Amino acid sequence: MTNSASIAPEMAPSAFVIMTRIADTFPASPAELIVATGLDRSVVSRHLTALTKEGYLVSEPDPHDGRVALFSPTPEAAVKFGAVSKAKYDWMADAVSHWAQSDVSAFVLLLERFNTSAYGN
């Protein structure tokens, strides 16, 4: 599976987590990223600032609340981190490729239940 060292070796692992989350679900607010990653507010804020300065992210005001910034990947970062998402998807698909469809369905159901219990998603 693709990891931070192969995509962005200079990037801290927690910044990589934030970046892959934004690439998967943008635009994203800092509050959404805090909930999704479980990282501390100061860590998320510091990484968002650095990732923007490094050219990975752009921000724009939230149209519903101009006090909130929404972050999206730059076009180059979207391509790079889109490859990460595809690699994760391919890895998971391969891992369950020999499972019966009913087992995959049960796994998805239980994983959704787990995520709801653990993260409130």
Side-chain angles (χ1 to χ4, degrees):
M1 186 160 57
T2 306
N3 61 31
S4 61
S6 65
I7 297 295
E10 75 288 353
M11 194 176 286
S14 53
F16 186 81
V17 168
I18 291 168
M19 194 61 224
T20 55
R21 178 66 185 191
I22 292 171
D24 286 346
T25 59
F26 63 90
S29 71
E32 292 167 340
L33 295 166
I34 290 165
V35 169
T37 64
L39 295 170
D40 184 74
R41 175 183 307 258
S42 64
V43 172
V44 170
S45 177
R46 183 174 66 248
H47 286 314
L48 289 173
T49 299
L51 290 166
T52 301
K53 286 181 183 177
E54 293 165 4
Y56 287 103
L57 296 175
V58 294
S59 67
E60 62 186 342
D62 183 331
H64 304 292
D65 184 349
R67 299 169 297 171
V68 176
L70 298 177
F71 292 85
S72 298
T74 61
E76 299 82 14
V79 169
K80 183 186 268 191
F81 286 88
V84 172
S85 292
K86 182 176 179 342
K88 285 190 297 187
Y89 174 83
D90 290 348
W91 176 80
M92 286 189 274
D94 186 55
V96 299
S97 64
H98 64 282
W99 292 16
Q101 183 58 46
S102 60
D103 290 342
V104 173
S105 296
F107 175 70
V108 168
L109 178 68
L110 292 171
L111 190 57
E112 287 174 348
R113 187 182 306 164
F114 171 81
N115 283 335
T116 300
S117 295
Y119 305 108
N121 292 335

